mmCIF file of all heavy atoms in Angstrom:
data_model
loop_
_atom_site.group_PDB
_atom_site.id
_atom_site.type_symbol
_atom_site.label_atom_id
_atom_site.label_comp_id
_atom_site.label_asym_id
_atom_site.label_seq_id
_atom_site.Cartn_x
_atom_site.Cartn_y
_atom_site.Cartn_z
ATOM 1 N N TRP A 891 99.733 91.603 95.135
ATOM 2 C CA TRP A 891 99.189 90.178 95.461
ATOM 3 C C TRP A 891 100.224 89.237 94.978
ATOM 4 O O TRP A 891 100.140 88.031 95.429
ATOM 5 C CB TRP A 891 97.861 89.919 94.778
ATOM 6 C CG TRP A 891 96.787 90.779 95.402
ATOM 7 C CD1 TRP A 891 95.959 91.739 94.747
ATOM 8 C CD2 TRP A 891 96.417 90.759 96.741
ATOM 9 N NE1 TRP A 891 94.979 92.272 95.732
ATOM 10 C CE2 TRP A 891 95.287 91.647 97.029
ATOM 11 C CE3 TRP A 891 96.899 90.089 97.972
ATOM 12 C CZ2 TRP A 891 94.706 92.053 98.184
ATOM 13 C CZ3 TRP A 891 96.254 90.263 99.218
ATOM 14 C CH2 TRP A 891 95.146 91.236 99.327
ATOM 15 N N LYS A 892 101.113 89.532 94.123
ATOM 16 C CA LYS A 892 102.098 88.564 93.711
ATOM 17 C C LYS A 892 103.373 88.591 94.578
ATOM 18 O O LYS A 892 103.509 89.582 95.277
ATOM 19 C CB LYS A 892 102.579 88.873 92.245
ATOM 20 C CG LYS A 892 101.505 88.738 91.135
ATOM 21 C CD LYS A 892 101.986 89.094 89.732
ATOM 22 C CE LYS A 892 100.993 88.842 88.745
ATOM 23 N NZ LYS A 892 101.540 89.128 87.350
ATOM 24 N N PRO A 893 104.236 87.517 94.610
ATOM 25 C CA PRO A 893 105.427 87.604 95.343
ATOM 26 C C PRO A 893 106.251 88.850 94.990
ATOM 27 O O PRO A 893 106.431 89.126 93.762
ATOM 28 C CB PRO A 893 106.136 86.432 95.024
ATOM 29 C CG PRO A 893 105.042 85.326 94.643
ATOM 30 C CD PRO A 893 104.012 86.244 93.929
ATOM 31 N N TRP A 894 106.750 89.619 95.969
ATOM 32 C CA TRP A 894 107.367 90.860 95.666
ATOM 33 C C TRP A 894 108.726 90.732 95.143
ATOM 34 O O TRP A 894 109.411 89.747 95.565
ATOM 35 C CB TRP A 894 107.317 91.780 96.870
ATOM 36 C CG TRP A 894 106.078 92.186 97.480
ATOM 37 C CD1 TRP A 894 104.863 91.956 96.825
ATOM 38 C CD2 TRP A 894 105.765 92.763 98.593
ATOM 39 N NE1 TRP A 894 103.770 92.335 97.522
ATOM 40 C CE2 TRP A 894 104.359 93.090 98.701
ATOM 41 C CE3 TRP A 894 106.605 93.369 99.577
ATOM 42 C CZ2 TRP A 894 103.803 93.696 99.815
ATOM 43 C CZ3 TRP A 894 105.957 94.020 100.700
ATOM 44 C CH2 TRP A 894 104.543 94.207 100.751
ATOM 45 N N PRO A 895 109.215 91.536 94.225
ATOM 46 C CA PRO A 895 110.555 91.453 93.629
ATOM 47 C C PRO A 895 111.612 92.118 94.578
ATOM 48 O O PRO A 895 112.306 92.928 94.255
ATOM 49 C CB PRO A 895 110.433 92.247 92.316
ATOM 50 C CG PRO A 895 109.444 93.266 92.598
ATOM 51 C CD PRO A 895 108.419 92.601 93.576
ATOM 52 N N LEU A 896 111.603 91.696 95.872
ATOM 53 C CA LEU A 896 112.512 92.104 96.826
ATOM 54 C C LEU A 896 113.098 90.933 97.561
ATOM 55 O O LEU A 896 112.457 89.913 97.787
ATOM 56 C CB LEU A 896 111.726 93.038 97.874
ATOM 57 C CG LEU A 896 111.115 94.407 97.349
ATOM 58 C CD1 LEU A 896 110.115 94.950 98.255
ATOM 59 C CD2 LEU A 896 112.371 95.365 97.292
ATOM 60 N N ARG A 897 114.344 91.287 98.118
ATOM 61 C CA ARG A 897 115.018 90.193 98.803
ATOM 62 C C ARG A 897 114.392 89.954 100.197
ATOM 63 O O ARG A 897 113.838 90.880 100.807
ATOM 64 C CB ARG A 897 116.552 90.585 99.007
ATOM 65 C CG ARG A 897 117.294 90.627 97.636
ATOM 66 C CD ARG A 897 118.741 90.914 98.024
ATOM 67 N NE ARG A 897 119.180 92.235 98.517
ATOM 68 C CZ ARG A 897 119.332 92.435 99.654
ATOM 69 N NH1 ARG A 897 119.316 91.551 100.677
ATOM 70 N NH2 ARG A 897 119.586 93.727 100.195
ATOM 71 N N GLU A 898 114.579 88.869 100.694
ATOM 72 C CA GLU A 898 114.021 88.504 102.014
ATOM 73 C C GLU A 898 114.779 89.454 103.079
ATOM 74 O O GLU A 898 115.972 89.591 102.972
ATOM 75 C CB GLU A 898 114.399 87.056 102.339
ATOM 76 C CG GLU A 898 113.805 86.563 103.658
ATOM 77 C CD GLU A 898 113.927 84.973 103.845
ATOM 78 O OE1 GLU A 898 114.152 84.388 102.787
ATOM 79 O OE2 GLU A 898 113.928 84.509 105.027
ATOM 80 N N ARG A 899 113.935 89.927 104.000
ATOM 81 C CA ARG A 899 114.569 90.743 105.110
ATOM 82 C C ARG A 899 115.310 92.039 104.648
ATOM 83 O O ARG A 899 116.344 92.341 105.152
ATOM 84 C CB ARG A 899 115.360 89.947 106.048
ATOM 85 C CG ARG A 899 114.577 88.697 106.748
ATOM 86 C CD ARG A 899 115.464 87.976 107.704
ATOM 87 N NE ARG A 899 114.567 86.957 108.301
ATOM 88 C CZ ARG A 899 115.005 86.156 109.367
ATOM 89 N NH1 ARG A 899 116.106 86.467 110.004
ATOM 90 N NH2 ARG A 899 114.153 85.288 109.855
ATOM 91 N N SER A 900 114.804 92.594 103.555
ATOM 92 C CA SER A 900 115.538 93.698 103.010
ATOM 93 C C SER A 900 114.974 95.045 103.475
ATOM 94 O O SER A 900 115.576 96.127 103.246
ATOM 95 C CB SER A 900 115.588 93.637 101.512
ATOM 96 O OG SER A 900 114.154 93.600 100.933
ATOM 97 N N ALA A 901 113.889 95.083 104.071
ATOM 98 C CA ALA A 901 113.087 96.379 104.357
ATOM 99 C C ALA A 901 113.143 96.547 105.890
ATOM 100 O O ALA A 901 112.985 95.662 106.727
ATOM 101 C CB ALA A 901 111.645 96.428 103.870
ATOM 102 N N ASP A 902 113.378 97.844 106.305
ATOM 103 C CA ASP A 902 113.236 98.141 107.792
ATOM 104 C C ASP A 902 111.847 98.590 108.158
ATOM 105 O O ASP A 902 111.512 98.220 109.166
ATOM 106 C CB ASP A 902 114.238 99.315 107.983
ATOM 107 C CG ASP A 902 115.619 99.041 107.804
ATOM 108 O OD1 ASP A 902 116.043 99.052 106.628
ATOM 109 O OD2 ASP A 902 116.281 98.629 108.788
ATOM 110 N N VAL A 903 111.084 99.099 107.172
ATOM 111 C CA VAL A 903 109.792 99.514 107.434
ATOM 112 C C VAL A 903 108.949 99.236 106.206
ATOM 113 O O VAL A 903 109.399 99.457 105.114
ATOM 114 C CB VAL A 903 109.666 101.073 107.628
ATOM 115 C CG1 VAL A 903 108.132 101.549 107.847
ATOM 116 C CG2 VAL A 903 110.438 101.459 108.914
ATOM 117 N N ILE A 904 107.682 98.784 106.385
ATOM 118 C CA ILE A 904 106.806 98.628 105.232
ATOM 119 C C ILE A 904 105.599 99.584 105.595
ATOM 120 O O ILE A 904 104.981 99.446 106.653
ATOM 121 C CB ILE A 904 106.267 97.240 105.013
ATOM 122 C CG1 ILE A 904 107.553 96.396 104.399
ATOM 123 C CG2 ILE A 904 105.168 97.260 103.981
ATOM 124 C CD1 ILE A 904 107.145 94.987 104.307
#
Side-chain angles (χ1 to χ4, degrees):
W891 290 122
K892 296 182 176 181
W894 296 356
L896 287 165
R897 292 187 293 104
E898 185 174 339
R899 301 186 177 188
S900 57
D902 298 83
V903 175
I904 294 176

